[in-house]
Every structure is written in structure tokens, then in C-alpha cells.
Amino acid sequence: MLRQGALGEAVATAAEAVAPVALVGATKAFGGTVALKNVSFELRSGEVLALLGENGAGKSTCVKLLAGVHAPTDGHVEVDGKAASFRSPHDAQAAGIAVMHQHPGLFPDLSVAENIYLGHMPRDRFGGIDNAAMLAGARKVLATVGLAVPADTRLGALRTSEQQLVEIARALSLDARVLIMDEPTAALSQREVERLFAVVADLKSHGVAMMFVGHRMDEIFRVADRIAVLRDGRLVGVQPKAELGRAAAISMMVGREVSDLYPDRREKPNALVLEARALSRAGAFADIDLKLHAGEVVGLGGLVGSGRTEIARVLFGIDQPDGGEILIDGKPVRFTSARDAMDARIAYVSEDRMGQSLVMDFGVLDNAVLPVLDKAARFGLYGADRAIRLVADWLQRMKLRFAGYGQPVKELSGGNQQKVVLAKWLRTEPRVLILDEPTQGIDVGTKAEVHAMIADLAAQGMAILLISSEMPELIGMCDRIVVLREGHCTAEFSSREATQEKVLEAATRTVEQAGATTQTEQGALEEASKGPANILKRREFGLLAAMLAVAIPVTIINPRMVSAANLTAVSMDAALLVVAALAQMLVLITRNIDLSIASVIGLSAYMAASMVQVYPGLDITIGLATACAVGTVCGLINGLVVTRGKIPAIVVTLASMSIFRGFNSIWAAGDQISADEVTQRWLDMTGLKLAGVPLIVAIAVLILGAGYVLLYRTAIGRELFATGSNPDGARLIGIPVDRRILMAFGLAGLLGGFCGALWASRYATIDARVALGFELTVIASAVVGGVAIRGGSGTLLGIVLGSLTLLVIKNGLTLVRVDPLWLQGVYGLVILVAIGIDTFIVRRAEQARQARMR
């Protein structure tokens, strides 16, 4: 044990040690806007530096400079006392810096283990993913953060708070010497916050340097050793926690004293406005009685998943109750939609402002005027001046900081985004205002403004339902607090009776019951984690059933359906279609689409046949090389225009579809290459049989095997899925999204070219019309097989079954002499059904996830 003098010397030595990482004179400008100006601070080993500031003060910019997401416009980042240049998040990770971003960069379609290790996956001796090591490592870090879920669980099956813990586990998996936490507790319960702080304490003892960005002052003063304060992009100061009181820290942040965080309210409630009697919704809440009076603020307390948000959604008409009734002014009402609730002058500010309350790419004005859009349109014609007159007053009252009405809301800070949401709904002049986590993720100064606004609205007679996870906010703002637990009302307190201890006791279970995950919950989670597999089996069963539904009656009518010759022909056609569908899958999983695939196949086929005709001595070699080269070039052209030009893939490939087809027509000039103009070896390339199996089928199987290795056994393949699942999150963790999309298009072009060569060999007679209209069949095969249009998910088995299903339908209709013109209509119908199934699956998965949250 160190003596007092030795301890002082040790502390002095630690203070003088070179900091693992620091910002030195950092300035960051975005266009003409300076987000950060000459900021310097250091992160010391074994310490936590808290970074405070209002929304828009520059905190997230500091985080992204240290994370390698942005590079400083001026100044630099120092690592171990030396200037460093981070060109990407990978560079920051290589320097030992791990980051928990404010909006987790996670991937709902991938497993928990993959989310933890994506970007630094363990490799086996062949360079592939070492799944055993990844699962073992994931279990270890999950245990560290107290999350008891199977490591192979699909992330989308987890609660929001559990996903935040996965983000923390991901940071810990990097075994970093610097850990940056940007709003890590925003979605966590109190128990999970305690677990996080235990992890932080352990990391401190091991010498990890940490930065904690947050708004909750209780947490800041509990976890921090030093506090740095930003205001308007400039560093106000850095002081030890012991020398800086809360009032002083807040004053430094906002430039003024904030003594009225919870304003004094003395108004008495008036007439009853809204009442819920025995309101119930299966799996969410039951027998809820609730009264809201004019001029009253009623709080809904409880843990995340206790049913608070679900009640709000029913009161606003988004979801429908299974029992009970809602009364307005004593009269029963039924809301079949949110519009009905709005007509009753009810407004709802969702907790998910990015996903549900705002259109992030729209401007401030377009978002603010959405609920009253009809008032901004005279005779059906929208007028910007009228829209401004409608919302300008409320935006001004919100003290919104913005560059102009056309500024996209995604460029605003979190606090200013929330002000736009509040202004949007207050402009509807509601009698009842439902606020779900209205101050989540906003700074102290803005919180005070929101609280003052709530008090003012209540004073004007508005009935307000306030949902909050912050106990001081509930107690400081509400006249009454209704506490929920697992969808049931457990207590109600007046403002005089309510204490944090009473509310927490009513909202929680016993210590034994409130463990990380109960056995029942664990079993439910394991079942949910198997959900995608079960869904896949149901989809596969459905495709098999569809094939049988066509094949059996057609066989009865025409036995040729199951003849050896017909089955061989179908299998050879299926081989071509599967290769093309795999090409489409590669693009679809990155959240793009390739409408030019048939044109690429046609161009490649004609060019390959032309080269075989000119150079018969090099037939197979020259034909395959030409087709693959043409296809790859076409794919890369598509990919470059999409990634560099930032043009939607559907637009790019729609144009290139016509361009490639037109070039093929010009090149062919009406000529046709027939079977007697190419070599027999070229024709035998697909016609030969190996052990009774057509060679083209064997080739397709080999290509599928290579596709499996790429997509499921390599890190690059998993990054393709991640790119489509969450492009912004992929960029945050250093995945080169544009390069992955370019690679997907390039590989799709290569496969399209190869398919063109097989097509030329299979069908012998080739002209400029090869594969005309084939793109619909290819897209249908992928979508019917379960590749999601939204990106991020799909299976090889699915595209095989999807291709076979369509070919069986085509073959069956042909054998019973149905007009071939009906095929396109049938394929279109099949696509609609498949997308409907996919939508249903996504909805069921979301319902299962929400059920776990209750």
C-alpha cells in the first residue's frame, strides 16, 4: 500500500504522463458553418473526461474527430503526444480508440456476435471468419455488460436498451486503450446504467482513458474525474469535478444561470378532457384507467417496456385497443387512425423523433407544416409563404437555431430537431398533448425551455400527458404520476406524495425478479432468435407448396411435365436464372437494384458469340473472357455512377439498361449468329453431362458455392449485408460503404457476363434481342426467394427456390398451352405476393420484438 507522499508522487507522475489521445487546436468547418473552433483537451489514462455542452455546441463533432469520421479543418489529433491523421474510423481503431456513438451503428439483420465484431472479425487459418472464436468472444463481452442473450441472436429481435448494450459490448471487444461514450445511457434502464458504470470503473482501474458525453448531470458528476465544457463550438474550460459545482457547470454551458429547470406551477386542473376506462391491448397493457383534466400535467412512469408508449399510441389512434373505451368530454370516441385523434385535437410527440416524428431529408418548413398542410394549400396549391406564416410564430417561440426554412432537419442538433417536432404539433392547436420522452438527448438549457413551455401550455388550459424515464422530470413537472409495471397500473401519486423511491418501488420488481434476463424471457428470446430461421422454413415451405400446386395438376393434364427431357431442360434454364439471380442478390443486399442485368447478359452473350465466331481456335477461352470482361465493365459503370454520382440505382440502371441494349443493337446491326457459325466445343460447354447432370447445372452449383463462401464465410461478405442493413452505421464503424457497393455491382456485372456466355452456349442462336425482358424474371426470382428490397437480408437457398418456382410456373403454363403473354402478368403478381409476405414477416418480427419489451 502506498504511503501518502508516495501516493502524491504517483498522482503527479500520472498527470505528467503523455495522454493517449488529445485534440490540439481543433477547428472543423462544414461549408461556411464553423462547428468547432480551436478546441484543445486531452484524455488521460485511468480517467473519465466528461464533455458537456448544449445541443449544437460541438460535442458530437469532437467525438467524430477522435473517431476518424471527420478530419479537422485546422489543428490535429494527437496520439501519445504525436500528431496523427485519421482518414477513416479504421485508423482510429488501429490507434486504440473505441467509440460508442450516440445513434448506434448496428445492423438489425445480422447476429449479435457479428454486430460486435464487424470490422474486426477473427479469422481462421484460411482467412475466413472464425465463427467459433467470434461467438466465444461475443459471449465474454456480453457477460461483461450484463446482457444475457445468445450471441447468435438476430440483433433486430432485441429491445432498444439491449441493442445499446450490444454497442457497448462492441466497443469493449476492440480491447481499446481509449473509450469514447456519446450519450451511452439514453436508452438504458437504471439497472443497465449501473452495470455500465461498473464497467467504466473496472476500465479505469486498468488504465483506459475515457470520454463521457451526456446531458444527465447526476450521471456526469458521478462518473467524471474532469469536466470539459463547450459553448457555441468553443471550449469554455476544463476543470476537475471537485472544483466545479453543478450550477457552475450549467452556467458555463448555457452562458446564464438556469435556476428554474422545473418551473413553479400553481394552477388547478379544470374540466375533464380525456378519460380512458379499462383500456386494454393484448400483449401491451390491460385495464388502464386514466384521466386528463384541462391545465393538468399527468406523468406516466415505469421502466422501458412497461406499456407507456403503447398507451400513448392507442390514445392517438395509431394502434387499436382490444377492450375498454376512450372518452372525450365525457363522450365515447373511437379512433381508427391518427387523423381521427387529430380531428379530436390530440397531438402526439413520439419518443423516436428521427424515425417517426421527422422526415430527416425534408427542410425545417416542410416538417413543421406537415400536420397542417391543407391550410398551407389554397385551392389545392401549396404556397411556401402561407406555410411560413402558419409555423413561423411557433418556431420563433421555440427559439429554434437554424440557417433557413429549407435547411434539412438532419443538419440540426438533437435539441433543435425536437423543437421542430414540438412546433409542428403545437401548430395544430391541440387540447390534449401527449409527450413521449420530450427531453431525451437534449441539453440542460433546452430542457429548461421545454419545461417552461409545458408549464405555459398547461397554464393556458391544455391537458398534457408526459412520459419520461427521468424521475426528476416526472416529479418536477407533473401534478399526478401514474406508475406502470408490465402493462398494469401499480400506483398513482400526487405531486406532494411522489418521491423517487416511491415511484421506483412501484415501477420495479424484487431484486430476484429484476435480474438481467429471467428464464422465461431467455426462452422467449431464444425462440425469437430462431425466428428468421423459422420464417425462412415457412417461406421455403411456401415456395415448395407453390411448385407442387402447379406441377401436380399440370402433370395430370400433361405427363410430359415429369419427363426426363423436360426436367433436364428446366434444370438447365434454372442454372442460368440462378446465376443471374445471385448477381441481383449481391446488389439488392446493399440496398440497391440492377435493372440492367438482362441487357448485360444480352450484350455479353452477343459479344462472346462474336469472338468465338472470329477466333474459333480460342473458342471457350476467348468467349468466356470476353463475356466476363464486358459484364464486369458494365457493372462497374453502374456502380461508379451510383457511388460517385450519388444517383439512385434504380435511375442509373434504368438508363444503362437502354444504353447497353442500344449498343448491342448497333453492334449487331441486325445480324444473327447461329449454331453453325460457332464451334462444337463452345456448344458442348453447357450441353455435356457429368454423371447424368448437365454441365451448366454443375457450373451453377460451383458458382453458388463460391457465393456462399463470399457472403457467409468472409468479412467482406458480411460487410455487404451490413451496408444494406444500415449504411450510415456501416460508415461509422469504418466499413467503406461506397467500395462495397461498387464491388457488388462489379461482381453482379461479372456474373451477368458469365451468364451471357452460358446463355450463348446453351441457346446457340444469338442476336441483339437476347434476354429481352429477362430482368423481370431475375428480380422476381430474388424477391420471391426472400431477398429484401430494403437491403440487408437474403439467402442463396431462397434464390434457388425462387428461381425454380418461377420456372415451374412458366413450364406448367406452357405445357397446358396458356398464352405466353400471361407470363409477365403472373410474374408481376408473384412479385407483389412476395413483397407482401416480406412486409408481413418484418411486421411480425417487429411485433415479436415489441412483445419482448413489455
Side-chain angles (χ1 to χ4, degrees), residues 603-637:
L603 179 59
S604 302
Y606 192 86
M607 297 289 281
S610 298
M611 296 301 288
V612 172
Q613 182 186 28
V614 175
Y615 301 101
L618 299 172
D619 48 10
I620 293 178
T621 302
I622 194 72
L624 287 176
T626 299
C628 291
V630 169
T632 303
V633 169
C634 290
L636 290 175
I637 290 173

Side-chain angles (χ1 to χ4, degrees), residues 220-285:
I220 294 294
F221 277 85
R222 177 179 172 186
V223 77
D225 297 294
R226 293 179 298 130
I227 297 175
V229 180
L230 294 174
R231 185 169 72 237
D232 297 328
R234 296 176 181 270
L235 184 68
V236 179
V238 182
Q239 294 188 34
K241 176 182 66 175
E243 299 176 10
L244 189 67
R246 299 189 187 195
I250 294 172
S251 179
M252 290 172 68
M253 286 171 55
V254 302
R256 65 186 190 279
E257 295 292 335
V258 181
S259 56
D260 54 347
L261 186 59
Y262 304 111
D264 186 25
R265 299 180 53 251
R266 301 182 182 277
E267 296 80 7
K268 293 184 178 180
N270 296 311
L272 180 64
V273 178
L274 181 147
E275 183 180 5
R277 295 178 182 171
L279 199 65
S280 301
R281 179 171 168 82
F285 55 86

Side-chain angles (χ1 to χ4, degrees), residues 411-682:
E411 296 178 1
L412 302 179
S413 66
N416 283 306
Q417 289 175 358
Q418 188 72 330
K419 289 178 180 180
V420 174
V421 176
L422 291 168
K424 176 180 81 171
W425 285 112
L426 291 175
R427 182 59 189 82
T428 65
E429 300 177 358
R431 297 178 63 202
V432 177
L433 178 62
I434 303 172
L435 299 171
D436 195 350
E437 303 286 6
T439 63
Q440 181 174 280
I442 64 177
D443 57 77
V444 174
T446 305
K447 277 186 181 180
E449 294 173 1
V450 171
H451 292 157
M453 179 207 68
I454 293 172
D456 182 56
L457 293 172
Q460 295 175 31
M462 191 178 294
I464 298 174
L465 182 65
L466 175 63
I467 300 171
S468 177
S469 297
E470 293 191 40
M471 205 76 70
E473 183 171 66
L474 281 176
I475 295 172
M477 289 301 303
C478 298
D479 299 297
R480 288 184 293 118
I481 300 174
V482 176
V483 186
L484 301 174
R485 186 179 69 193
E486 297 180 354
H488 293 82
C489 178
T490 56
E492 182 174 324
F493 303 102
S494 68
S495 58
R496 296 185 301 275
E497 300 170 324
T499 65
Q500 293 197 32
E501 291 76 14
K502 288 182 179 179
V503 174
L504 190 60
E505 181 182 0
T508 57
R509 296 168 285 181
T510 63
V511 175
E512 291 76 18
Q513 290 173 317
T517 307
T518 66
Q519 291 297 320
T520 302
E521 289 173 328
Q522 181 72 9
L525 180 57
E526 290 176 356
E527 191 65 30
S529 72
K530 298 174 184 176
N534 291 333
I535 288 168
L536 178 61
K537 290 176 183 176
R538 288 198 295 270
R539 180 187 286 274
E540 290 169 348
F541 179 80
L543 291 174
L544 289 170
M547 282 188 271
L548 291 175
V550 173
I552 292 174
V554 169
T555 301
I556 294 172
I557 297 171
N558 189 342
R560 285 182 55 202
M561 181 77 178
V562 293
S563 67
N566 189 58
L567 292 177
T568 299
V570 170
S571 68
M572 295 175 73
D573 289 344
L576 286 174
L577 183 53
V578 164
V579 173
L582 174 58
Q584 191 66 237
M585 175 182 172
L586 289 170
V587 176
L588 284 173
I589 61 175
T590 65
R591 202 175 288 194
N592 290 282
I593 193 168
D594 186 1
L595 299 178
S596 70
I597 182 67
S599 298
V600 172
I601 291 172
L603 179 59
S604 302
Y606 192 86
M607 297 289 281
S610 298
M611 296 301 288
V612 172
Q613 182 186 28
V614 175
Y615 301 101
L618 299 172
D619 48 10
I620 293 178
T621 302
I622 194 72
L624 287 176
T626 299
C628 291
V630 169
T632 303
V633 169
C634 290
L636 290 175
I637 290 173
N638 283 334
L640 285 169
V641 177
V642 169
T643 56
R644 299 291 177 85
K646 305 300 179 185
I647 302 174
I650 192 169
V651 176
V652 173
T653 57
L654 183 62
S656 63
M657 175 178 69
S658 298
I659 293 170
F660 299 155
R661 185 69 68 182
F663 181 80
N664 196 11
S665 297
I666 294 171
W667 183 272
D671 290 339
Q672 185 181 73
I673 301 174
S674 60
D676 57 3
E677 296 179 88
V678 294
T679 66
Q680 187 60 40
R681 285 206 319 158
W682 175 253

Side-chain angles (χ1 to χ4, degrees), residues 23-26 35-42 49-53 57-58 62 226-239 252:
L23 279 181
V24 180
L36 211 63
K37 181 68 174 179
N38 195 29
V39 171
S40 300
F41 59 77
E42 62 184 19
L49 173 73
L51 188 61
L52 294 182
C62 288
R226 293 179 298 130
I227 297 175
V229 180
L230 294 174
R231 185 169 72 237
D232 297 328
R234 296 176 181 270
L235 184 68
V236 179
V238 182
Q239 294 188 34
M252 290 172 68

Side-chain angles (χ1 to χ4, degrees), residues 197-235:
F197 286 171
V199 172
V200 169
D202 181 63
L203 293 174
K204 281 176 64 175
S205 69
H206 287 84
V208 176
M210 287 172 279
M211 185 169 82
F212 187 97
V213 182
H215 292 302
R216 298 174 180 175
M217 302 304 288
D218 288 342
E219 294 176 356
I220 294 294
F221 277 85
R222 177 179 172 186
V223 77
D225 297 294
R226 293 179 298 130
I227 297 175
V229 180
L230 294 174
R231 185 169 72 237
D232 297 328
R234 296 176 181 270
L235 184 68

